[in-house]
Amino acid sequence: MIRDQATLNILLDSVARFVRERLVPNEELVAETDEIPADIVAEMKALGLFGLTIPEAYGGSELTMEEEVLTMLELGRASPAFRSLIGTTVGIGSQGILFDGTEEQKQKYLPRLATGELIASFALTEPGSGSDAASLTTQAIRDGDHYIVNGTKRYITNAPQAGIFTLMARTNPAEKGAGGISAFILEAGTTGLSFGKRDRKMGQKGAHTCDVVFDNCRVPAANLIGGVEGRGFKTAMKVLDKGRIHIASICVAVAERMLADALRYAVERKQFGQPIAGFQLVQAMLADSKAEIYAARCMVIDAAQRRDAGLPVSTEASCAKMFASEMCGRVADRAVQIFGGAGYMSDYGIERFYRDVRLFRIYEGTTQIQQVVIARNMVRELR
Ligand code: COS
């Protein structure tokens, strides 16, 4: 749903200009230093990018899902690390509070998330619990007005920068499945909270992940999201349904960027006396990429519109995430192929995207988990 096309166009134009003039020229620097420069983060905040999905009542711009997706289709045309800092905060890091938090929790945290003062992280994955999220073992045991949290979370994006964590922990150890899990808001600086070394990753330099360790962390009971135990798994799943549409839009945007780079190269690069774009085997790679990107773009926008219409989107979100991330991998592979030897060299940037986009098929649910979700929903609907 687009509420006001003129206002949205202004936002999309300013994000596109920011990507073109500030993010793309700094991609190489971010990859080399593994840091997003502080002045760029400040500009992101000034542009309001951390408040895109937060309701206006709490200081954000309250974008609908369709508006968010259209914005990500612009923002995603630069290295994914830039998006990661913003997207994790406007997405999986904060949405649990928005969906299921109490009014007090929303008032306390959402305004500071909207300005970018607080960066948010989503702490679900553990050393022993990845795809099988309901098997998580981090415990939060009630002790008077607090919960005592013990456990370890793994590969937590933005953890070193985060001001708050949306933490999924087991409040009922006797209940081994999803029903024993609750969601909390845990503040950085809580005694007993510590971080592992920054993970060394295949790509997405500038986006940081690490272990988060809870050693007898005392979390106020007031920070139990929604104030009710046992609902944390559902909160996480709802957050991921939305997050998967968001990631799918980023896959489309990065694929569009890679195809644009590959097309430009194919038009400039001459072999056998003519631009390689004139050769049908190269044209096939360009055309297949174009068609697949178009298909993924249509899926993403349709899933977003359905969500805005209040329809269930678990299936569509998984379809879009699965198709768009796999498509993005194929486009990355073809882009490297079109660049040829240059595609393998760091100076041309395309090999960096090839490594960066590999993550899309893994995080926020692997392709195989999306298949499970889609097929299960199909069977359930038939029954
Ligand atoms: N929205 C709301 N509720 C949902 C839901 C959704 N999308 N999906 C599941 N639930 C509910 C179910 O309805 C069920 O509730 P009831 O017990 O009241 O019926 C409960 O949650 C448990 O669901 P289910 O039985 O389907 O859980 P499973 O353990 O079988 O597994 C999968 C569910 C595999 C889909 C889940 O673990 C998953 O998404 N794994 C991937 C995790 C992931 O994406 N990790 C990435 C980390 S973030 S980078």
Side-chain angles (χ1 to χ4, degrees):
M1 183 176 37
I2 292 170
R3 293 168 308 165
D4 173 14
Q5 189 69 54
T7 311
L8 178 65
N9 286 346
I10 293 169
L11 172 67
L12 297 180
D13 283 349
S14 63
V15 173
R17 192 174 336 111
F18 181 58
V19 166
R20 213 169 41 241
E21 295 175 1
R22 298 292 290 136
L23 302 190
V24 172
N26 278 291
E27 286 174 339
E28 194 64 36
L29 178 74
V30 170
E32 274 169 20
T33 59
D34 197 16
E35 295 288 348
I36 301 176
D39 56 336
I40 291 191
V41 178
E43 288 172 53
M44 289 169 170
K45 291 179 185 174
L47 274 170
L49 296 180
F50 288 92
L52 294 176
T53 56
I54 307 283
E56 285 172 1
Y58 305 101
S61 11
E62 200 170 344
L63 297 191
T64 64
M65 189 78 233
E66 186 179 6
E67 291 169 337
E68 178 185 339
V69 154
L70 293 171
T71 309
M72 291 307 129
L73 287 171
E74 296 298 339
L75 188 67
R77 293 177 70 94
S79 283
F82 294 115
R83 185 296 315 175
S84 185
L85 186 66
I86 302 163
T88 312
T89 299
V90 301
I92 56 177
S94 65
Q95 297 298 295
I97 305 174
L98 203 67
F99 295 163
D100 291 334
T102 63
E103 190 50 43
E104 292 73 34
Q105 290 166 349
K106 291 180 191 176
Q107 282 180 12
K108 183 167 179 193
Y109 293 105
L110 295 182
R112 287 195 287 154
L113 288 165
T115 58
E117 178 194 335
L118 282 182
I119 300 289
S121 241
F122 183 71
L124 177 67
T125 300
E126 299 181 352
S129 164
S131 290
D132 185 7
S135 71
L136 64 85
T137 59
T138 293
Q139 288 197 354
I141 303 301
R142 182 94 190 213
D143 178 33
D145 289 345
H146 287 79
Y147 284 84
I148 313 289
V149 180
N150 281 291
T152 300
K153 295 290 176 178
R154 180 143 292 175
Y155 310 141
I156 303 305
T157 304
N158 285 349
Q161 290 88 6
I164 59 162
F165 295 83
T166 297
L167 165 72
M168 269 54 66
R170 193 168 297 284
T171 41
N172 181 1
E175 159 70 74
K176 300 286 178 220
I181 297 170
S182 303
F184 293 88
I185 306 159
L186 190 138
E187 295 189 7
T190 302
T191 307
L193 178 70
S194 63
F195 303 105
K197 276 197 318 214
R198 255 192 219 171
D199 297 318
R200 294 171 60 229
K201 311 192 298 325
M202 176 192 283
Q204 299 218 7
K205 294 276 161 37
H208 305 143
T209 67
C210 69
D211 276 9
V212 181
V213 181
F214 309 94
D215 180 11
N216 287 319
C217 283
R218 288 176 72 79
V219 181
N223 282 21
L224 171 66
I225 292 182
V228 186
E229 289 187 7
R231 297 201 181 152
F233 188 80
K234 287 185 187 171
T235 298
M237 290 299 116
K238 286 189 276 182
V239 166
L240 285 171
D241 277 348
K242 181 170 192 287
R244 287 165 183 166
I245 302 176
H246 172 104
I247 291 294
S249 67
I250 296 296
C251 294
V252 172
V254 182
E256 286 179 343
R257 162 70 186 279
M258 292 186 293
L259 183 59
D261 289 357
L263 174 63
R264 204 173 309 111
Y265 186 83
V267 168
E268 285 166 9
R269 171 76 175 165
K270 289 199 173 100
Q271 286 295 280
F272 305 102
Q274 60 165 301
I276 61 170
F279 295 114
Q280 290 181 350
L281 293 177
V282 173
Q283 289 173 347
M285 291 193 276
L286 293 171
D288 285 353
S289 299
K290 183 80 180 170
E292 289 183 32
I293 290 171
Y294 178 52
R297 185 180 252 270
C298 291
M299 289 172 83
V300 165
I301 291 174
D302 179 69
Q305 288 174 341
R306 281 171 184 267
R307 191 175 184 284
D308 287 337
L311 298 169
V313 288
S314 169
T315 301
E316 288 74 15
S318 286
C319 287
K321 201 272 184 180
M322 174 176 79
F323 184 82
S325 60
E326 292 288 331
M327 170 283 289
C328 192
R330 289 192 293 273
V331 171
D333 191 67
R334 292 183 198 121
V336 170
Q337 197 68 15
I338 290 168
F339 271 83
Y344 201 71
M345 301 301 151
S346 300
D347 287 350
Y348 290 82
I350 205 76
E351 66 82 33
R352 190 184 64 236
F353 276 107
Y354 179 84
R355 287 181 287 106
D356 287 349
V357 305
R358 188 62 182 84
L359 183 57
F360 294 144
R361 292 158 60 195
I362 298 171
Y363 71 176
E364 298 203 22
T366 60
T367 290
Q368 291 67 33
I369 284 294
Q370 311 309 332
Q371 289 171 321
V372 167
V373 171
I374 296 163
R376 274 192 191 178
N377 288 347
M378 289 167 67
V379 172
R380 198 171 298 137
E381 278 159 28
L382 187 69
R383 285 197 186 125

